[in-house]
Amino acid sequence: MKTFYYPQREQWGEILARPTQDNGDIACTCEKIFAQVRADGDTAVRHFTKKYDRVDITDLRVNEEEFAMAEEAVSEELKNAIRLAAANIEAFHRAQISEPVEWSDGRGLRCRQETRPIESVGLYVPGGTAPLFSTVLMLAIPARLAGCREIVLCTPPAADGSINPAILWTARLCDVERVYKAGGIQAVAAMTFGTQSIPAVCKIFGPGNRYVTAAKQLATAHGVAIDIPAGPSEVMVVADRSAIPAFVAADLLSQAEHSADSQVVLVTWTPEILPAVEAETERQLALLPRREMAEGVLRHSRTIVVRDRAEALSVVNEYAPEHLIISAEDYDDFADGVLNAGSVFLGNYSPESVGDYAAGTNHTLPTAGWARAYSGVNMDAFVKKITFQELTREGLERLGAAVVTMAENEQLTAHANAVAIRLGEYGTE
Amino acid sequence: MKTFYYPQREQWGEILARPTQDNGDIACTCEKIFAQVRADGDTAVRHFTKKYDRVDITDLRVNEEEFAMAEEAVSEELKNAIRLAAANIEAFHRAQISEPVEWSDGRGLRCRQETRPIESVGLYVPGGTAPLFSTVLMLAIPARLAGCREIVLCTPPAADGSINPAILWTARLCDVERVYKAGGIQAVAAMTFGTQSIPAVCKIFGPGNRYVTAAKQLATAHGVAIDIPAGPSEVMVVADRSAIPAFVAADLLSQAEHSADSQVVLVTWTPEILPAVEAETERQLALLPRREMAEGVLRHSRTIVVRDRAEALSVVNEYAPEHLIISAEDYDDFADGVLNAGSVFLGNYSPESVGDYAAGTNHTLPTAGWARAYSGVNMDAFVKKITFQELTREGLERLGAAVVTMAENEQLTAHANAVAIRLGEYGTE
């Protein structure tokens, strides 16, 4: 890890910069695949599945037999682990369900805000080397709680045409019935336009590689909403002398094994901990199966030594990390000052991996600095908040003159008339 | 208005279709202006203001003297109207402020969700023929309530270089100090990259024409969030025999005067009201200053006669109107079934114009069917919800085995290690 000692504020931007990606070529590929899926439906999805996933799929939808095989294939140990995680995720997301907001001026005007589920949602679950059944939990549980009528799940098939049994078992646990063997750009296109098998949806959720991310972006141009712009995963660890070097090292490594473009940043105002953190990182790294990838990530990751806690907080808010681990004294006090972050892990016994799987918080979080403006996925992401207003005649009498004045000043005469005619101030017969 | 009697469900899509817009040419213009504003800052903003608004602006920021002149220029009547509207908007948005969500498993695991303001927001307020001071209220009041540190407002100058005094007075009323004379694509570009005068922001809000909308879309590619995709305004009126034809006609016309591409749809299961609604529309239309525009809008607007209330509700949810007026018996019952809409107006005395200005609800709403997945602007739009998790050693002992099992099954060994090392199950010395 490259270490920066007491950098000037003007240097922070450069030190904290994420690598930029040029996706120009991908955008073009997306356009082509979207056009073909829109025109040819299932046939096009099958064609691209053959081309990119190298497998012939006859029936895109996972059938009852495959679900039954998954039930057999998943170990009881994993089932119990998933059940515990599901219970926590359900409990914490249920706690987020908001009550209707009601307000009245007490004089004939009543306003309220109510939530309604998004009717149909599409969940994208990456396949490939790591079968992300945890993502099924993170997206399907809140979708169910919100009352989304239709939940569609797309995930790429393995070379033998199968879907990882843990993904299928988890989907079934979460009452997701419609699971499709489709991945990449073609899956996103299918959920955008609908095909013979795969229904079109109102909003698409889920992580994915650069292709999936670009496809989700393109889906928005066709009237489909998406959860958040996705980018490589990242962690910032804030550690002081109360941190335990072996734990800090384990947290840095758990981010570093994610993918080759993962971001890892360590911030401290007690540089005396650094030699022990580095030694532990070396030692633990040697034991990892994904050692090569983690090594590459660590090579371009950064340690920033700052003057004090206050400056560390400024660095956090400047970077806006997806995951923030605070292994420092008075972490609650520090957390109060955090303005920009996706999810925050407090103290020495709250590793990121607990939030990734089972703490109950969502692991679909804003990366690349989007935490400055975006929340992670939460119950809000599966509903709309609709406002309702009701005036009595008396309410309109009280408010009407103001509306007429404002409308006339905005030169919107008919807006004024809609009030005046109700108050008998505009020529009805 | 073109009337469709009892159309088959398969025809709804076509009848309810919004006109599509091809913005290919605009995207290119946006790219050019963005590049120039990024490179040349204020100089570029001034250049494009001269080109498009036909005025030379020396100082982009509105100064104290201009605010003082606005204080003089706005009538006491309009000030009082704006004050009343502001009070309602503040009260209803304050009611939306959410409490932190806390949850614990009672065994050493605590999760919470807290809101944090978006630090800097940019408000775009259109100028042109209608000075939309009401938009200042709708965006600046919730931004202030949310605690956004920096609020930047851009609005295009008139031909004499001035800003409409009602916009300035309203900005001051809402404690917005930074008002800039910049409109169109160059204003959005300035708030995206920042210039010598205009600060870069994290999120851009506000309505605008096709150019502004395309510019906001491009801003997202540069890491700036936006409120909602914007399109032409629209109203759907559901009316039965309890509706008052003169009121229905006034509501249709108040939408029709907005802009040439406004959408107006009337739905009823009591077609006997239609002759009276049409006669009233003709009569009121003749009195409007914007008669020509309204006539054009009405020409391509639609009346749909359906079999019954249930079918009317299906049409509403299929169309997902920005504004929905329910002038029908048992409107509360009907409203309960509304799944897709921006804002809903209940009964005979709740015209859309009340919500546009002063009811307290927000008038920045999803158009073009986006109400299927998006909420209108509300307090959520100005904050992020951040999750925090804290485990004690005991909490991690309880949850740890599940996390390790799940991580290992996703082939993320280091994720498992981050737990195991804390529980002494992985080689620390």
Side-chain angles (χ1 to χ4, degrees):
Chain A
M1 293 179 79
K2 183 156 185 190
T3 304
F4 299 86
Y5 286 91
Y6 310 109
Q8 296 299 308
R9 181 130 205 169
E10 305 80 67
Q11 300 171 271
W12 290 6
E14 202 182 317
I15 295 170
L16 295 172
R18 278 99 170 166
T20 53
Q21 296 186 326
D22 179 17
N23 288 339
D25 51 329
I26 295 184
C28 202
T29 309
C30 282
E31 295 276 6
K32 277 184 204 150
I33 295 178
F34 267 56
Q36 218 164 319
V37 169
R38 185 176 208 169
D40 300 333
D42 283 350
T43 310
V45 175
R46 279 195 207 94
H47 167 78
F48 291 111
T49 303
K50 169 113 184 156
K51 180 167 177 187
Y52 294 116
D53 300 310
R54 298 177 186 285
V55 52
D56 263 318
I57 298 290
T58 318
D59 202 351
L60 291 171
R61 185 165 173 182
V62 172
N63 62 35
E64 199 46 48
E65 198 184 333
E66 291 169 295
F67 279 113
M69 280 167 62
E71 174 73 44
E72 292 294 311
V74 178
S75 73
E76 207 50 42
E77 183 193 18
L78 181 56
K79 284 180 186 170
N80 283 332
I82 293 174
R83 284 190 191 107
L84 177 58
N88 287 348
I89 294 164
E90 181 168 338
F92 184 55
H93 284 77
R94 190 185 292 281
Q96 294 167 25
I97 296 176
S98 56
E99 290 297 308
V101 174
E102 303 209 29
W103 172 77
S104 168
D105 72 350
R107 299 160 87 169
L109 164 64
R110 293 196 309 143
C111 297
R112 61 181 199 267
Q113 183 196 51
E114 293 181 11
T115 63
R116 296 284 192 274
I118 296 176
E119 288 187 85
S120 58
V121 295
L123 316 183
Y124 186 86
V125 177
T129 54
L132 296 186
F133 54 83
S134 59
T135 296
V136 180
L137 295 175
M138 295 295 175
L139 300 177
I141 290 174
R144 253 319 146 220
L145 281 177
C148 300
R149 189 173 46 77
E150 184 153 78
I151 303 177
V152 173
L153 193 157
C154 284
T155 188
D160 64 355
S162 71
I163 302 292
N164 179 282
I167 289 178
L168 291 186
W169 188 84
T170 307
R172 181 52 62 95
L173 178 75
C174 300
D175 291 326
V176 177
E177 297 297 328
R178 291 178 168 275
V179 178
Y180 296 91
K181 298 175 181 179
I185 301 169
Q186 60 272 22
V188 177
M191 293 191 281
T192 299
F193 301 117
T195 68
Q196 294 84 346
S197 311
I198 305 176
V201 299
C202 298
K203 188 169 182 176
I204 298 174
F205 293 78
N209 57 22
R210 293 167 64 198
Y211 296 92
V212 171
T213 299
K216 281 171 64 187
Q217 202 68 45
L218 183 56
T220 65
H222 294 281
V224 177
I226 61 169
D227 48 358
I228 29 178
S233 188
E234 57 199 29
V235 72
M236 181 172 265
V237 178
V238 172
D240 69 3
R241 61 168 62 88
S242 74
I244 295 161
F247 299 1
V248 172
D251 292 337
L252 298 175
L253 287 169
S254 76
Q255 188 61 40
E257 78 172 342
H258 251 302
S259 64
D261 50 10
S262 287
Q263 303 287 306
V264 175
V265 187
L266 172 62
V267 180
T268 187
W269 55 94
T270 56
E272 59 270 28
I273 66 168
L274 293 178
V277 170
E278 271 156 40
E280 268 295 330
T281 306
E282 284 302 317
R283 195 183 63 81
Q284 295 179 28
L285 180 63
L287 306 170
L288 284 185
R290 294 194 180 208
R291 175 186 173 161
E292 221 165 293
M293 186 193 285
E295 253 178 343
V297 170
L298 288 180
R299 215 171 299 126
H300 65 76
S301 71
R302 293 139 284 172
T303 298
I304 304 174
V305 179
V306 293
R307 280 165 195 79
D308 50 29
R309 283 170 70 96
E311 200 172 61
L313 191 57
S314 297
V315 169
V316 167
N317 287 327
E318 171 97 7
Y319 184 67
E322 180 193 15
H323 303 98
L324 173 66
I325 300 177
I326 311 176
S327 296
E329 288 167 358
D330 298 327
Y331 49 76
D332 271 329
D333 173 68
F334 193 93
D336 285 344
V338 172
L339 289 173
N340 301 324
S343 196
V344 183
F345 300 79
L346 301 168
N348 284 331
Y349 287 91
S350 311
E352 185 201 311
S353 46
V354 170
D356 288 341
Y357 290 110
T361 54
N362 210 288
H363 77 195
T364 314
L365 297 166
T367 55
W370 283 111
R372 292 180 201 109
Y374 276 84
S375 309
V377 165
N378 59 50
M379 285 302 293
D380 291 344
F382 296 90
V383 300
K384 297 96 57 178
K385 295 186 176 176
I386 304 180
T387 49
F388 297 83
Q389 49 251 291
E390 181 181 4
L391 286 87
T392 59
R393 197 189 148 98
E394 294 66 39
L396 189 62
E397 271 163 6
R398 174 171 131 74
L399 209 54
V403 174
V404 169
T405 299
M406 290 173 77
E408 282 172 351
N409 273 278
E410 286 191 357
Q411 295 162 37
L412 294 170
T413 313
H415 280 61
N417 289 350
V419 172
I421 205 164
R422 283 167 162 91
L423 299 180
E425 293 161 3
Y426 176 80
T428 36
E429 292 92 336
Chain B
M1 293 178 81
K2 181 153 188 194
T3 304
F4 298 87
Y5 286 92
Y6 310 109
Q8 295 299 307
R9 180 126 205 173
E10 305 80 68
Q11 300 171 273
W12 291 6
E14 201 181 317
I15 295 171
L16 295 173
R18 278 97 169 168
T20 52
Q21 298 186 326
D22 179 18
N23 289 339
D25 51 328
I26 295 184
C28 200
T29 310
C30 281
E31 294 276 6
K32 278 183 205 151
I33 295 178
F34 266 56
Q36 217 162 321
V37 170
R38 186 177 207 169
D40 300 334
D42 283 350
T43 310
V45 175
R46 279 195 207 93
H47 167 77
F48 291 112
T49 304
K50 169 114 185 160
K51 182 169 174 186
Y52 294 116
D53 301 309
R54 298 176 186 286
V55 51
D56 264 318
I57 298 289
T58 319
D59 202 351
L60 291 172
R61 184 165 174 183
V62 172
N63 62 36
E64 200 46 49
E65 198 184 333
E66 291 169 295
F67 278 113
M69 281 167 63
E71 175 73 44
E72 292 294 312
V74 178
S75 73
E76 206 50 43
E77 184 193 20
L78 181 56
K79 284 180 185 171
N80 283 332
I82 294 173
R83 284 191 191 105
L84 177 58
N88 287 348
I89 294 164
E90 181 168 337
F92 185 55
H93 284 76
R94 191 184 290 282
Q96 294 167 25
I97 296 175
S98 56
E99 291 296 308
V101 174
E102 302 208 29
W103 172 77
S104 169
D105 72 350
R107 298 160 85 169
L109 164 64
R110 294 195 310 142
C111 296
R112 62 181 199 267
Q113 183 196 51
E114 292 183 11
T115 63
R116 295 285 192 274
I118 296 175
E119 287 187 85
S120 58
V121 296
L123 316 183
Y124 186 86
V125 177
T129 53
L132 296 186
F133 54 84
S134 59
T135 297
V136 180
L137 295 176
M138 296 295 176
L139 300 177
I141 289 174
R144 254 318 147 218
L145 281 177
C148 300
R149 189 173 46 76
E150 182 153 78
I151 303 177
V152 173
L153 193 157
C154 285
T155 188
D160 65 354
S162 71
I163 301 292
N164 179 282
I167 289 179
L168 290 186
W169 189 83
T170 308
R172 180 53 61 95
L173 178 75
C174 301
D175 291 327
V176 177
E177 297 296 328
R178 291 178 168 275
V179 178
Y180 297 91
K181 299 175 181 179
I185 300 169
Q186 61 273 19
V188 177
M191 293 190 282
T192 299
F193 301 117
T195 68
Q196 295 83 346
S197 311
I198 305 176
V201 300
C202 298
K203 187 169 182 176
I204 298 174
F205 293 79
N209 57 22
R210 292 168 62 198
Y211 297 91
V212 172
T213 299
K216 281 169 64 188
Q217 202 68 44
L218 183 56
T220 65
H222 294 280
V224 176
I226 61 170
D227 47 358
I228 28 178
S233 189
E234 57 199 32
V235 72
M236 181 171 265
V237 179
V238 172
D240 69 2
R241 62 168 62 87
S242 74
I244 295 162
F247 299 1
V248 173
D251 291 338
L252 298 175
L253 287 168
S254 75
Q255 188 60 42
E257 78 172 342
H258 250 303
S259 64
D261 50 10
S262 287
Q263 303 286 306
V264 175
V265 187
L266 173 61
V267 181
T268 187
W269 55 93
T270 57
E272 59 269 30
I273 65 168
L274 293 178
V277 170
E278 272 156 40
E280 268 294 330
T281 307
E282 284 302 315
R283 195 182 63 80
Q284 294 178 29
L285 180 64
L287 306 171
L288 284 185
R290 293 193 180 209
R291 174 185 175 165
E292 222 164 293
M293 185 193 285
E295 254 178 342
V297 170
L298 289 180
R299 216 171 297 127
H300 65 77
S301 71
R302 292 139 287 171
T303 297
I304 303 175
V305 179
V306 292
R307 282 166 194 78
D308 51 29
R309 284 170 70 96
E311 200 172 59
L313 191 56
S314 298
V315 169
V316 166
N317 287 328
E318 171 96 8
Y319 184 67
E322 180 193 15
H323 303 98
L324 172 66
I325 300 177
I326 310 176
S327 295
E329 288 167 357
D330 299 327
Y331 49 77
D332 270 330
D333 174 66
F334 193 94
D336 285 344
V338 172
L339 288 175
N340 301 325
S343 196
V344 183
F345 300 79
L346 301 167
N348 284 330
Y349 287 92
S350 309
E352 185 200 311
S353 47
V354 170
D356 288 341
Y357 291 110
T361 54
N362 211 290
H363 77 194
T364 313
L365 297 166
T367 56
W370 283 110
R372 293 182 200 107
Y374 275 83
S375 310
V377 165
N378 59 50
M379 285 301 293
D380 291 344
F382 296 90
V383 300
K384 296 97 56 176
K385 294 185 176 175
I386 303 180
T387 49
F388 298 83
Q389 49 252 289
E390 181 181 3
L391 286 87
T392 60
R393 198 191 147 97
E394 294 66 40
L396 189 61
E397 271 162 7
R398 175 171 131 73
L399 208 55
V403 173
V404 169
T405 299
M406 291 174 76
E408 281 171 351
N409 273 279
E410 286 191 357
Q411 295 162 36
L412 294 170
T413 313
H415 281 61
N417 290 351
V419 172
I421 204 163
R422 283 168 163 91
L423 299 179
E425 294 160 3
Y426 176 82
T428 35
E429 290 92 337

